[in-house]
Amino acid sequence: MKRIVIGFVAVVAVLAEASFGPLNPSARPYEREYIWPEGKMPHAQPQQIAAKTGEVKQPGFKADDFRRPYIEWFAPNPECRTDLCVLVVSGGGFNCCCDAERLQPAIDRFVKAGYTVANLTYRTPRPQGLPVHQSAWEDAQRAVRVVRSQAAKRGFDPKKIGATGISAGSKTILLLATSSLTPAYAPVDEIDRLPCNLLFAIPQAPAYVLTDGDGTPNTRDGDSPDVKIVPDLKFDAQTCSMCLFQGGIDDYSPNGSTQIYRQLRRMKIPAELHLFADLWHGFHGDMNKGDDAAANDHWFTRAEEYIRQMNFDGRLGKEVDLMTRFPDDSARGAYEKEELWPKGRMPNAQAHQCVPYLEWHMPKELKTKAIQIIYSGGSYQGNGPDGHEVAPARRYLNAKGMTVVTMKYRTPRPNGLMKHVTAWQDLQRAIRIVRSKAKAKGLDPDRIGIMGSSAGGHLTLMGATSSRHRSYWPIDNLDKISCSVQWAVAIYPAYALTDGGEKPNVGGGNADDARLVPEFSFDLSTCPILFIHGDADGWAAMNSVKCWEQLRRMGIQGDLHTLATRNHCFQFKAAPGTGSYTWLDRIWEFMNHKGYNRP
């Protein structure tokens, strides 16, 4: 195979720069390698080239010099080198390779993290008389085989090859990830005896994956019962683990990502799904607005946490107890406690239930007028404001300068009523109390959020989706105040799908007939919601996914993060460098993006 070596000086420079931060703004390739032997490229078409958009724009560009697809090799940081290799694939609608600029920060981060990187430039524009993805798929399968053949020489494990891409590039790596047993082309030499499967895939803003958008933006937002995953994604026996990213307002529908995620769950393949409110197809950020670097950092950090949680890089550390990380209320200033109901006027009072109350936790230094109400889960059999599901979040937000109100609602379950009714009454009353007292405390009565875990997550969904439905008859003037909220945070919500009932979801929430439970009204006051859920949770992650889909159907934008291999109560103990360890940051990022935590 013919190779173009950029030169010894360039190689030395790259290796030197790889030591935690390049001298130039981005890492540089040290070798370019053509992937097809001369004259043996399948389906060669005269209108196609293999060039990045930046190359095409260079003065003196000659198409005949760029007919053969190639990979560029990037050397890993020698100070933290791993045995992973990542194939990077540009998007561009299969008409060009225009996303190289967006992918360069990812290459930089992968190199800095110690991964070998192979950047593929495949043939474009779309081939004539073939599926739009055909030549890119052929080039990608060949590229994986070439990369695998170079493993020993370049110092990575041939079984540890992952891939990432954007848009059409994501469709290409999804073909690799789900359909490696389907040959894209007839073998041309010995390299084609090697497998082309992946260890993992990180699709970013995948396009052309649903039947209402095969080659175009999705005509019905990917949201209709007859919209399916395109048949060219086979989901064969070598389908690999994935970490999917997409923006909530992407014309190439995020429901493509949710459907792929659900199929992986059906196959019991660990996966993550990260959906971002209000972000379009270029979910990394808008380069014209100057925010691309921050957005790239955000998605890459989630991707690296996924790699760490799956231990693909061999760096998964010992788990740390959450309470030891947030041991005290040192960031709290004033504290108050009060009961929710006037004596003798609590609706549906039952002797076997505890007395509900709320607690005000004011920060020492108030930095925002927003208020977060937090409560725990406990199967509606018990709950408390001082355990893993409440105290760390309370202390984290107090340290950020936010007021937190914790609530203890009535448990165990009421007799003769649905399991959540008295807790729902307590929540509606608590919101009204908080709103009534906010101004006097220097807070904003129109910036109140609610947050709960497990059964508390179900209660959060009741509060967020059904505030126009009264849970009790008014008992005083306080009950004339609205109990709507401006945002909600649902942490591994339980009991949200019909295949869950009182037990874990029997089908993992993956079946078409697993529907949202009828108690969620999704009324006109429903607010944006952040969902965080363990992928391996028996009270399934599809509880959160299907709620997120319903919000999007209503034009309401929220965030969703699922965490590979993690079960119920994922945060109680977590290893540093994983999403289960940094989950509280997702709450602050969500509020910051939506503007809820402004001063």
Side-chain angles (χ1 to χ4, degrees):
M1 287 189 184
K2 181 180 178 182
R3 298 190 178 102
I4 301 173
V5 180
I6 294 175
F8 177 79
V9 174
V11 175
V12 173
V14 168
L15 293 176
E17 290 173 6
S19 300
F20 283 93
L23 300 175
N24 292 326
S26 59
R28 295 185 302 225
Y30 65 90
E31 187 175 344
R32 178 176 290 189
E33 181 171 358
Y34 293 123
I35 61 174
W36 297 105
E38 189 115 31
K40 292 189 176 183
M41 184 168 64
H43 297 113
Q45 297 191 1
Q47 85 282 6
Q48 289 190 307
I49 60 172
K52 295 187 283 291
T53 301
E55 292 173 320
V56 174
K57 292 180 179 180
Q58 291 295 315
F61 173 80
K62 295 180 180 179
D64 285 342
D65 294 336
F66 290 85
R67 298 296 186 188
R68 297 168 64 196
Y70 62 88
I71 53 177
E72 292 174 312
W73 289 98
F74 293 78
N77 178 354
E79 293 190 9
C80 59
R81 185 183 189 119
T82 72
D83 58 358
L84 286 182
C85 180
V86 180
L87 180 71
V88 177
V89 185
S90 173
F94 296 118
N95 284 312
C96 62
C97 292
C98 64
D99 281 320
E101 185 178 358
R102 288 190 182 277
L103 283 167
Q104 186 60 51
I107 292 172
D108 297 343
R109 291 288 298 268
F110 283 130
V111 165
K112 189 174 180 179
Y115 311 154
T116 300
V117 175
N119 186 24
L120 171 66
T121 299
Y122 54 90
R123 285 171 283 167
T124 59
R126 299 178 179 189
Q128 297 177 1
L130 296 168
V132 296
H133 60 262
Q134 183 64 36
S135 51
W137 183 26
E138 293 170 350
D139 294 346
Q141 279 200 352
R142 177 69 182 191
V144 173
R145 293 179 170 118
V146 170
V147 167
R148 182 161 277 124
S149 73
Q150 296 284 318
K153 172 184 174 181
R154 301 185 188 275
F156 59 86
D157 188 333
K159 295 181 180 179
K160 290 190 174 184
I161 300 172
T164 190
I166 302 176
S167 188
S170 282
K171 172 63 181 287
T172 304
I173 67 167
L174 283 167
L175 286 162
L176 294 172
T178 66
S179 311
S180 66
L181 295 177
T182 301
Y185 61 92
V188 301
D189 59 18
E190 289 299 309
I191 285 179
D192 288 327
R193 294 179 179 271
L194 296 173
C196 61
N197 62 299
L198 299 174
L199 177 64
F200 63 89
I202 305 175
Q204 307 168 48
Y208 318 135
V209 298
L210 295 178
T211 53
D212 71 331
D214 189 8
T216 62
N218 295 78
T219 56
R220 288 172 285 158
D221 276 340
D223 191 16
S224 180
D226 65 336
V227 173
K228 308 294 183 185
I229 298 173
V230 290
D232 40 83
L233 299 181
K234 305 299 184 185
F235 291 94
D236 62 30
Q238 289 189 340
T239 298
C240 66
S241 175
M242 298 185 206
C243 181
L244 297 127
F245 293 86
Q246 201 143 13
I249 57 173
D250 191 342
D251 287 338
Y252 300 88
S253 173
N255 284 40
S257 288
T258 63
Q259 287 214 34
I260 290 167
Y261 178 72
R262 183 168 69 151
Q263 179 60 25
L264 294 171
R265 288 182 49 75
R266 286 170 171 161
M267 299 172 72
K268 301 187 185 305
I269 296 172
E272 289 194 2
L273 176 61
H274 299 279
L275 302 175
F276 303 96
D278 310 308
L279 296 184
W280 62 297
H281 192 53
F283 77 96
H284 300 77
D286 188 340
M287 290 184 179
N288 295 324
K289 295 180 181 178
D291 62 355
D292 204 56
N296 264 297
D297 181 77
H298 180 70
W299 89 261
F300 184 86
T301 301
R302 303 290 79 73
E304 194 169 28
E305 288 173 345
Y306 156 74
I307 290 170
R308 182 68 44 80
Q309 185 65 69
M310 294 295 296
N311 204 26
F312 292 143
D313 60 359
R315 294 172 175 170
L316 183 63
K318 184 179 180 181
E319 293 191 340
V320 180
D321 187 278
L322 180 65
M323 293 291 277
T324 65
R325 297 169 52 206
F326 299 92
D328 57 50
D329 289 298
S330 56
R332 184 177 68 186
Y335 167 83
E336 298 174 22
K337 179 178 178 180
E338 60 183 292
E339 293 188 6
L340 292 178
W341 304 97
K343 190 171 183 179
R345 305 194 70 182
M346 183 165 61
N348 299 115
Q350 299 190 8
H352 72 289
Q353 291 189 305
C354 64
V355 176
Y357 60 84
L358 60 78
E359 300 168 294
W360 291 85
H361 304 264
M362 303 291 292
K364 284 182 178 178
E365 183 181 356
L366 186 67
K367 297 179 182 178
T368 173
K369 294 182 179 181
I371 309 164
Q372 182 71 60
I373 301 173
I374 311 178
Y375 35 86
S376 78
S379 304
Y380 288 114
Q381 298 292 4
N383 73 108
D386 297 314
H388 286 76
E389 291 178 336
V390 178
R394 176 186 84 216
R395 292 162 180 165
Y396 173 91
L397 292 174
N398 270 175
K400 293 285 189 182
M402 178 175 280
T403 299
V404 175
V405 174
T406 57
M407 179 184 70
K408 184 177 178 70
Y409 54 88
R410 279 174 284 171
T411 52
R413 301 179 180 191
N415 296 323
L417 296 169
M418 292 183 72
K419 60 183 177 298
H420 61 271
V421 169
T422 53
W424 182 27
Q425 292 169 341
D426 294 344
L427 178 59
Q428 287 197 341
R429 181 71 178 188
I431 295 166
R432 291 178 169 124
I433 291 172
V434 170
R435 178 161 281 121
S436 72
K437 295 188 174 184
K439 280 189 177 179
K441 295 179 180 291
L443 305 172
D444 188 343
D446 294 320
R447 273 194 283 161
I448 298 172
I450 55 176
M451 171 181 164
S453 306
S454 190
H458 174 273
L459 180 58
T460 293
L461 294 173
M462 288 301 305
T465 68
S466 308
S467 66
R468 293 195 176 195
H469 285 196
R470 59 173 170 259
S471 60
Y472 61 94
W473 287 107
I475 62 170
D476 54 23
N477 285 333
L478 191 68
D479 290 326
K480 296 178 181 179
I481 298 174
S482 169
C483 63
S484 66
V485 291
Q486 285 61 62
W487 74 91
V489 181
I491 310 297
Y492 45 85
Y495 315 130
L497 294 177
T498 53
D499 72 335
E502 302 305 303
K503 296 180 180 180
N505 297 84
V506 292
N510 302 313
D512 289 336
D513 60 356
R515 302 186 183 279
L516 294 171
V517 291
E519 59 259 32
F520 300 153
S521 302
F522 288 97
D523 62 34
L524 295 178
S525 293
T526 298
C527 64
I529 304 175
L530 162 66
F531 299 90
I532 309 178
H533 217 124
D535 176 57
D537 191 344
W539 284 274
M542 290 307 296
N543 284 300
S544 290
V545 173
K546 290 195 173 185
C547 283
W548 188 93
E549 289 176 332
Q550 175 60 25
L551 290 176
R552 178 175 175 268
R553 197 170 290 129
M554 298 168 67
I556 300 169
Q557 286 288 303
D559 280 10
L560 183 144
H561 303 279
T562 70
L563 304 172
T565 77
R566 303 302 286 169
N567 214 311
H568 212 57
C569 306
F570 64 79
Q571 79 277 39
F572 285 18
K573 288 187 176 182
T578 68
S580 302
Y581 194 88
T582 66
W583 69 282
L584 286 166
D585 294 331
R586 305 294 81 73
I587 298 171
W588 194 250
E589 289 162 359
F590 173 69
M591 289 193 287
N592 187 58
H593 171 72
K594 288 289 192 178
Y596 303 135
N597 58 358
R598 64 187 184 277

